[in-house]
Amino acid sequence: MSFSGEELDEFKAESLELLENAEKQLLSIDSGGDFRAAFDATFRCFHNLKGAAGMMDLENLQVHTHKLEELLMSFKEATSMPKPYVTLFLRGIDASRILIDGGVVDFSYDVEGDGAASTKPPATRDTQVPKAPAIRTPELSAEAIDEFLSECEEIVERVSANLQAMEAGGETGLAVKSRTDDIYRDIHSMKGSAFLYAYKKLGDLTHAMESSLEKIRHETHLPSKELLNALFRSLEIIDQYIQLVRSKTDRSTLDLLIPNMENVLNICAVNLPLNFSGTGSIAKPPVSAPIALQAPMTPQLATTSSMRDAELYETTKMSDENFSLPSTKDIHQPIVNKESEGATSVRVPISLLDNLMTLMGEMVLVRNQVIQFANKSDDLEFSSMSKRLNVVTSEIHEEMMKTRMQPIGNVLTKFNRVVRDLSQDLGKQINLHLHGTETELDKSLLEAIKDPLTHIVRNSCDHGIETPEARRKSGKTEVGNITIRAYHEGGQVIIEIQDDGKGLHRDAILQKALEKGLITQAEVPTLTEKQVFNLIFEAGFSTAAKITNVSGRGVGMDVVRTNIERIGGTVELASAAGSGTKTKIKIPLTLAIIPALIVNSGNGTYAIPQVRLEELVRVEQSSATHRVEIVHGVPVFRLRGNILPLVDLNAVLTRENRTDYRDGTLNIAVLNADQFSFGLIIDRIQDTADIVVKPLNRLIKSLQIYSGATVLGDGAVALILDIPGIAKVARLETAAARAIETSEDLAEKAKASSEVQDYLIVRLNSPTKHGIVLGFVHRLEEFRRSEIEYSGRLPVVRYRDVILPLISANEHLGYPPGDSSSTFVSVVVIKKKDALYGLMVDEIMDTLSTAADLDSKINAHSGIFGCLNTPQELIVVIDPFDVIERQYPNSKQQELYPAPSLASGPEAQPVDGQFPKIPATILLAEDTAFFRKAIKAVLEKTGYKVVCANDGQEAMDLLADPRNTFDLIVSDIEMPRLNGFQLAEAIRKHHTHGKLPMLAVSSRADIHSMEAGLKAGYDRYLEKLKPTILLSAVSELITKARKAA
Amino acid sequence: MSATAIDYVRRRPVEQLTTFLIDGHLFGIDVLKIEEVTGKQKVYEVPRSPSFIRGLVNLRGQIVTALGLRELFQKDSSRREDQMSVVCKLDGNLVALVVDSIGDVVEIERSLFESPPDTIPAEVRRFIKGIYKMNGQLMSVIDLAAIEKEFSPNTDPATTRIN
């Protein structure tokens, strides 16, 4: 019978699916999953495949799967499967795949022995099925057979004894059940071994015996005399069989008898009396032997038995013939046919989906045009229609995307097999952990990353994870781990592959790169760690001493990177030498339609993919502090303390340099170019839009700065910018690195010599300028004087949802009241604890960054920290918290004490207003220069030694340095890199420093922050900046710690 | 056109060509290679591209690369706006060849086909398959395959003038 190509294709597709499922189930069994469910599923797969193979006349495959099925049967009652068997079945699946393709397989069903199955690749790919099945029977040693036979004899003895006991009767139901179970188990294991050693007939007989006991086991029926007789007879036959095998005589006569026996057993089984009494004793045989349906106790068995009745009716009639019951009739036919799951899905050729996607893209374009037109049109009806069109199109688009989305688990779970096989081949122990397998990805992207991922995983197994001995020596667990994590983030799919192997060694890589001529000796010191790791991606690189068969078939990481970049993704490596490597792959969610920012430059319109866009910044060059600066010839911008190299889009496009950064307003798009961020200066920002990505011809693509083109709603063509390309073309990588280094140098120098602090400069009714530390300033506002109302005698104003209490700075600093004729009042809004307060000033002038020192001796008035001695003038620095507290004493901080309330010992009490000089070293972590200097001054005046850190990370580094010893840590909360909470937690976890007393000093002293602070591990939490309270707390904590020590 | 039709046309003793003018000179392209002929199109420039790439054109939603033949043949390109485009398929993508003006479709005996004479400058001859003499005029037949090669990124810098 010949089959059409389509039928064959469908058969192949379905078969491969079955095999895949079987593989998955076996791996689940291997790692200890639900055995029952997995077993049933695997069996079904083999069984169905066998049936399909039979239908397609693929005899080889049919016989092979039949064998697998039989072997599997021996585990029917098991709760687990030993590894060699799992491997056997996995190999069997591999062999099946070859057979499906029409190849030839030389498969050994031998579990022990030296055997990887020798799957000979066929010389010619023959689509016709070869005549003779090339399946070998296993070669067994004489001892193995002998052992098997002895075991059988033992079993026969045992079962015989049990049957005799049952026959004698007089036992309770429970005892009978236990006997039946014993008999069943024995026969079952004999059956398994019989099939395993290819004594088919024996296996068939034992199978029939087993089946006949089913109903009795389930206690729905009672054993009958006929059955027991049949069983005894069977045991006799088995005995004879064994003798014949032993003496190597011909078994053919016996072979003829066996089918008969099976029939008898089956008939007896059918005619078992029902178990009404539950006693389990042997009941009288029924009157006749009607093969009629008996009232079922459980529907499950009824169906089974009715099916079998029908068959057996047939077989009994043919009892004269040499009829062997196919042992594949499984008793446990699943009643709920799970195969019907397929009805809920439909197979669709991928080309159809691709076409739909393209058409979808066109529709989106037209939809955009219609929307634009509708916006301009006055026609209401058209407008509402176009809105509906918009909604429907968006929905269709979303659903379309879903059709192509598949969970990444489809690809990732295959790695279970890969890792398992590899770890066996390499003699290593490796566990694979998968997270986020439900993360969805476009089907074409899934295809594209399969190979790169496989390569990376194999690399981890081969070069990453060490052998168990090596791991033991370096103090690691013998079992290595590879974790694959997939998740969505910012319009991309991130896949991280992390292993805890030996990691990447910078020197080894550099060495190899030098050897291969990828870099020169001179370049070595200039390379950052990331750049060194990226050398691995260069073509022609391989650090393995020899290219192993496993991972280095000349297919290197360069191909991996190319493949990933081809689909618009990126890949990067991170590693800690000795502890592992992490590979991070980012791929766009979809290629076709992306959200983008439309911008103008010169006369052209361009699109920036939104996934690359981090933020938009508007810079006024006239501003003193926030403006574009030139560092080493590269224009940069300080964005929240970080140096951002800038690229002028016009300059890139026209290739003329823009030199003028003096005036005007600049739009900067902060973009992500994978390794770093940079700012793109653009003329005008137009809009955001969903655009359809159209490919460019090769020549334009080779310019690097464009990744595609699109048609906008108004019909204009916009080029889509390739962000990494632009960065490369602007030669940003080296420039950025240089600029960042230079700025870090500058920062270093600034730290070494003096420290810059930002102040808000305001004018009060005094000839001297006043300043407020910028960190205190929450917002700057302007209110109409008419809006000011009075609560009692205190002025307030309604501000957003709250009432803002106002305080006159002039009044509190002892100056004459300012000009009250102006319509507007300038207010500096300050946050203290949880509340907002408005400090009224005459005028808000500017901000000032200065490194000038604060002179706190000239402290004539409360509410003032001191004077700043800047080169231009003197500036009085206001203490806003103090001013606020004067008017609102309730705003004073309520101190929170940790649970064991304490009364400070006599040592800590101030004596004559002075605090006792306890020699101690304090670590101060504070990022704001002003407070750092102020607190340091206060502490040093009292006689403590103070070491300063600019942020939490620096504090940790100082702590880690064994040369330093500290008695106390005073820390701010809001700090970059590591904040106060993180610092406290980290220190508390540390074994050496875990008990250090810690004091938090923060401008945020609301109840939540305080509680959080204490929870993080601080002993006390104070508000800035109360010298007396601070000193009291410091001495208290130090004394307490010393006493405890 | 169906395969059999194309086959039929190819085997005929005459060839049909669409003719057009560039800088006063007559050129022709096999009609079978032409998708359509369009009038003035708004061309969106592609900065940093070679001079002969005039830019991109929106052709009913399709993005088509506009190739300036004047620039390709290194003739004086004073960019007159009233130009026509002959749209062909090149390297799988649509390309609009920008020409000065379109002439008629002519039918001419293949037997009259000659190889290009030396009077044609080298910059033009690169892209010519051969010539037909027509009423005292020389009609140069464009070799699309040669133009296609220009689109490969690794073109000899000596022959491409970049903006």
PDB file of all heavy atoms in Angstrom, chain A residues 778-781 783 797-804 829 836:
ATOM      1  N   HIS A 778      12.355  69.953  48.876  1.00  0.00           N
ATOM      2  CA  HIS A 778      11.418  68.986  48.294  1.00  0.00           C
ATOM      3  C   HIS A 778      10.907  69.529  46.968  1.00  0.00           C
ATOM      4  O   HIS A 778      10.961  68.871  45.944  1.00  0.00           O
ATOM      5  CB  HIS A 778      10.276  68.756  49.292  1.00  0.00           C
ATOM      6  CG  HIS A 778       9.263  67.764  48.837  1.00  0.00           C
ATOM      7  ND1 HIS A 778       9.541  66.421  48.684  1.00  0.00           N
ATOM      8  CD2 HIS A 778       7.964  67.887  48.478  1.00  0.00           C
ATOM      9  CE1 HIS A 778       8.463  65.782  48.283  1.00  0.00           C
ATOM     10  NE2 HIS A 778       7.484  66.661  48.136  1.00  0.00           N
ATOM     11  N   ARG A 779      10.391  70.756  46.991  1.00  0.00           N
ATOM     12  CA  ARG A 779       9.918  71.388  45.768  1.00  0.00           C
ATOM     13  C   ARG A 779      10.056  72.892  45.912  1.00  0.00           C
ATOM     14  O   ARG A 779      10.214  73.411  46.999  1.00  0.00           O
ATOM     15  CB  ARG A 779       8.441  71.088  45.532  1.00  0.00           C
ATOM     16  CG  ARG A 779       8.158  69.696  45.058  1.00  0.00           C
ATOM     17  CD  ARG A 779       6.692  69.566  44.701  1.00  0.00           C
ATOM     18  NE  ARG A 779       6.409  70.187  43.419  1.00  0.00           N
ATOM     19  CZ  ARG A 779       6.512  69.542  42.250  1.00  0.00           C
ATOM     20  NH1 ARG A 779       6.892  68.290  42.234  1.00  0.00           N
ATOM     21  NH2 ARG A 779       6.255  70.160  41.126  1.00  0.00           N
ATOM     22  N   LEU A 780       9.955  73.578  44.760  1.00  0.00           N
ATOM     23  CA  LEU A 780       9.905  75.034  44.782  1.00  0.00           C
ATOM     24  C   LEU A 780       8.544  75.446  44.262  1.00  0.00           C
ATOM     25  O   LEU A 780       8.102  74.973  43.227  1.00  0.00           O
ATOM     26  CB  LEU A 780      11.011  75.613  43.892  1.00  0.00           C
ATOM     27  CG  LEU A 780      12.423  75.245  44.329  1.00  0.00           C
ATOM     28  CD1 LEU A 780      13.432  75.771  43.318  1.00  0.00           C
ATOM     29  CD2 LEU A 780      12.721  75.826  45.698  1.00  0.00           C
ATOM     30  N   GLU A 781       7.863  76.318  45.004  1.00  0.00           N
ATOM     31  CA  GLU A 781       6.522  76.704  44.576  1.00  0.00           C
ATOM     32  C   GLU A 781       6.356  78.215  44.661  1.00  0.00           C
ATOM     33  O   GLU A 781       7.123  78.908  45.308  1.00  0.00           O
ATOM     34  CB  GLU A 781       5.463  76.037  45.470  1.00  0.00           C
ATOM     35  CG  GLU A 781       5.466  74.521  45.445  1.00  0.00           C
ATOM     36  CD  GLU A 781       4.836  73.947  44.185  1.00  0.00           C
ATOM     37  OE1 GLU A 781       4.361  74.729  43.346  1.00  0.00           O
ATOM     38  OE2 GLU A 781       4.841  72.722  44.039  1.00  0.00           O
ATOM     39  N   PHE A 783       3.088  80.908  45.344  1.00  0.00           N
ATOM     40  CA  PHE A 783       1.664  81.045  45.637  1.00  0.00           C
ATOM     41  C   PHE A 783       1.265  82.501  45.550  1.00  0.00           C
ATOM     42  O   PHE A 783       2.044  83.412  45.784  1.00  0.00           O
ATOM     43  CB  PHE A 783       1.350  80.556  47.047  1.00  0.00           C
ATOM     44  CG  PHE A 783       1.676  79.106  47.267  1.00  0.00           C
ATOM     45  CD1 PHE A 783       2.734  78.749  48.093  1.00  0.00           C
ATOM     46  CD2 PHE A 783       0.939  78.111  46.656  1.00  0.00           C
ATOM     47  CE1 PHE A 783       3.043  77.414  48.289  1.00  0.00           C
ATOM     48  CE2 PHE A 783       1.246  76.786  46.855  1.00  0.00           C
ATOM     49  CZ  PHE A 783       2.302  76.435  47.676  1.00  0.00           C
ATOM     50  N   VAL A 797      -1.465  77.461  53.500  1.00  0.00           N
ATOM     51  CA  VAL A 797      -1.994  77.568  52.142  1.00  0.00           C
ATOM     52  C   VAL A 797      -2.424  76.182  51.691  1.00  0.00           C
ATOM     53  O   VAL A 797      -1.848  75.174  52.120  1.00  0.00           O
ATOM     54  CB  VAL A 797      -0.924  78.168  51.199  1.00  0.00           C
ATOM     55  CG1 VAL A 797       0.159  77.129  50.902  1.00  0.00           C
ATOM     56  CG2 VAL A 797      -1.554  78.618  49.884  1.00  0.00           C
ATOM     57  N   ARG A 798      -3.457  76.125  50.874  1.00  0.00           N
ATOM     58  CA  ARG A 798      -3.911  74.827  50.393  1.00  0.00           C
ATOM     59  C   ARG A 798      -2.994  74.396  49.257  1.00  0.00           C
ATOM     60  O   ARG A 798      -2.832  75.099  48.268  1.00  0.00           O
ATOM     61  CB  ARG A 798      -5.353  74.918  49.900  1.00  0.00           C
ATOM     62  CG  ARG A 798      -6.320  74.423  50.969  1.00  0.00           C
ATOM     63  CD  ARG A 798      -7.714  74.541  50.516  1.00  0.00           C
ATOM     64  NE  ARG A 798      -8.167  75.931  50.665  1.00  0.00           N
ATOM     65  CZ  ARG A 798      -9.459  76.238  50.738  1.00  0.00           C
ATOM     66  NH1 ARG A 798     -10.362  75.293  50.662  1.00  0.00           N
ATOM     67  NH2 ARG A 798      -9.827  77.498  50.858  1.00  0.00           N
ATOM     68  N   TYR A 799      -2.436  73.233  49.388  1.00  0.00           N
ATOM     69  CA  TYR A 799      -1.413  72.760  48.463  1.00  0.00           C
ATOM     70  C   TYR A 799      -1.727  71.324  48.090  1.00  0.00           C
ATOM     71  O   TYR A 799      -1.690  70.442  48.929  1.00  0.00           O
ATOM     72  CB  TYR A 799      -0.044  72.850  49.172  1.00  0.00           C
ATOM     73  CG  TYR A 799       1.125  72.383  48.361  1.00  0.00           C
ATOM     74  CD1 TYR A 799       1.372  72.901  47.088  1.00  0.00           C
ATOM     75  CD2 TYR A 799       1.995  71.427  48.866  1.00  0.00           C
ATOM     76  CE1 TYR A 799       2.462  72.484  46.353  1.00  0.00           C
ATOM     77  CE2 TYR A 799       3.089  71.005  48.133  1.00  0.00           C
ATOM     78  CZ  TYR A 799       3.322  71.549  46.877  1.00  0.00           C
ATOM     79  OH  TYR A 799       4.407  71.135  46.160  1.00  0.00           O
ATOM     80  N   ARG A 800      -2.080  71.141  46.849  1.00  0.00           N
ATOM     81  CA  ARG A 800      -2.462  69.806  46.390  1.00  0.00           C
ATOM     82  C   ARG A 800      -3.572  69.287  47.297  1.00  0.00           C
ATOM     83  O   ARG A 800      -4.615  69.863  47.388  1.00  0.00           O
ATOM     84  CB  ARG A 800      -1.277  68.864  46.349  1.00  0.00           C
ATOM     85  CG  ARG A 800      -0.258  69.460  45.429  1.00  0.00           C
ATOM     86  CD  ARG A 800       0.840  68.585  45.079  1.00  0.00           C
ATOM     87  NE  ARG A 800       1.666  69.309  44.098  1.00  0.00           N
ATOM     88  CZ  ARG A 800       2.666  68.761  43.483  1.00  0.00           C
ATOM     89  NH1 ARG A 800       2.961  67.510  43.730  1.00  0.00           N
ATOM     90  NH2 ARG A 800       3.375  69.455  42.626  1.00  0.00           N
ATOM     91  N   ASP A 801      -3.387  68.217  47.970  1.00  0.00           N
ATOM     92  CA  ASP A 801      -4.483  67.708  48.791  1.00  0.00           C
ATOM     93  C   ASP A 801      -4.314  68.078  50.256  1.00  0.00           C
ATOM     94  O   ASP A 801      -5.127  67.682  51.084  1.00  0.00           O
ATOM     95  CB  ASP A 801      -4.541  66.171  48.697  1.00  0.00           C
ATOM     96  CG  ASP A 801      -4.928  65.750  47.293  1.00  0.00           C
ATOM     97  OD1 ASP A 801      -5.702  66.488  46.664  1.00  0.00           O
ATOM     98  OD2 ASP A 801      -4.435  64.688  46.844  1.00  0.00           O
ATOM     99  N   VAL A 802      -3.217  68.729  50.576  1.00  0.00           N
ATOM    100  CA  VAL A 802      -2.991  68.963  52.007  1.00  0.00           C
ATOM    101  C   VAL A 802      -2.945  70.454  52.293  1.00  0.00           C
ATOM    102  O   VAL A 802      -2.968  71.289  51.386  1.00  0.00           O
ATOM    103  CB  VAL A 802      -1.672  68.312  52.477  1.00  0.00           C
ATOM    104  CG1 VAL A 802      -1.734  66.821  52.280  1.00  0.00           C
ATOM    105  CG2 VAL A 802      -0.507  68.923  51.731  1.00  0.00           C
ATOM    106  N   ILE A 803      -2.864  70.733  53.559  1.00  0.00           N
ATOM    107  CA  ILE A 803      -2.684  72.122  53.983  1.00  0.00           C
ATOM    108  C   ILE A 803      -1.224  72.297  54.315  1.00  0.00           C
ATOM    109  O   ILE A 803      -0.660  71.550  55.124  1.00  0.00           O
ATOM    110  CB  ILE A 803      -3.556  72.407  55.209  1.00  0.00           C
ATOM    111  CG1 ILE A 803      -5.017  72.283  54.797  1.00  0.00           C
ATOM    112  CG2 ILE A 803      -3.258  73.795  55.757  1.00  0.00           C
ATOM    113  CD1 ILE A 803      -5.979  72.493  55.931  1.00  0.00           C
ATOM    114  N   LEU A 804      -0.608  73.245  53.685  1.00  0.00           N
ATOM    115  CA  LEU A 804       0.814  73.462  53.858  1.00  0.00           C
ATOM    116  C   LEU A 804       1.038  74.600  54.857  1.00  0.00           C
ATOM    117  O   LEU A 804       0.664  75.745  54.584  1.00  0.00           O
ATOM    118  CB  LEU A 804       1.443  73.824  52.509  1.00  0.00           C
ATOM    119  CG  LEU A 804       2.955  74.013  52.508  1.00  0.00           C
ATOM    120  CD1 LEU A 804       3.645  72.668  52.661  1.00  0.00           C
ATOM    121  CD2 LEU A 804       3.385  74.673  51.211  1.00  0.00           C
ATOM    122  N   VAL A 829       9.475  74.286  49.618  1.00  0.00           N
ATOM    123  CA  VAL A 829       8.742  73.236  50.325  1.00  0.00           C
ATOM    124  C   VAL A 829       9.737  72.205  50.867  1.00  0.00           C
ATOM    125  O   VAL A 829      10.581  71.685  50.146  1.00  0.00           O
ATOM    126  CB  VAL A 829       7.738  72.532  49.395  1.00  0.00           C
ATOM    127  CG1 VAL A 829       6.952  71.477  50.169  1.00  0.00           C
ATOM    128  CG2 VAL A 829       6.796  73.554  48.780  1.00  0.00           C
ATOM    129  N   LEU A 836       4.830  68.127  55.103  1.00  0.00           N
ATOM    130  CA  LEU A 836       5.447  69.165  54.284  1.00  0.00           C
ATOM    131  C   LEU A 836       5.291  70.520  54.964  1.00  0.00           C
ATOM    132  O   LEU A 836       4.255  70.806  55.566  1.00  0.00           O
ATOM    133  CB  LEU A 836       4.782  69.207  52.905  1.00  0.00           C
ATOM    134  CG  LEU A 836       4.974  67.969  52.029  1.00  0.00           C
ATOM    135  CD1 LEU A 836       4.144  68.092  50.765  1.00  0.00           C
ATOM    136  CD2 LEU A 836       6.423  67.773  51.675  1.00  0.00           C
TER     137      LEU A 836
END
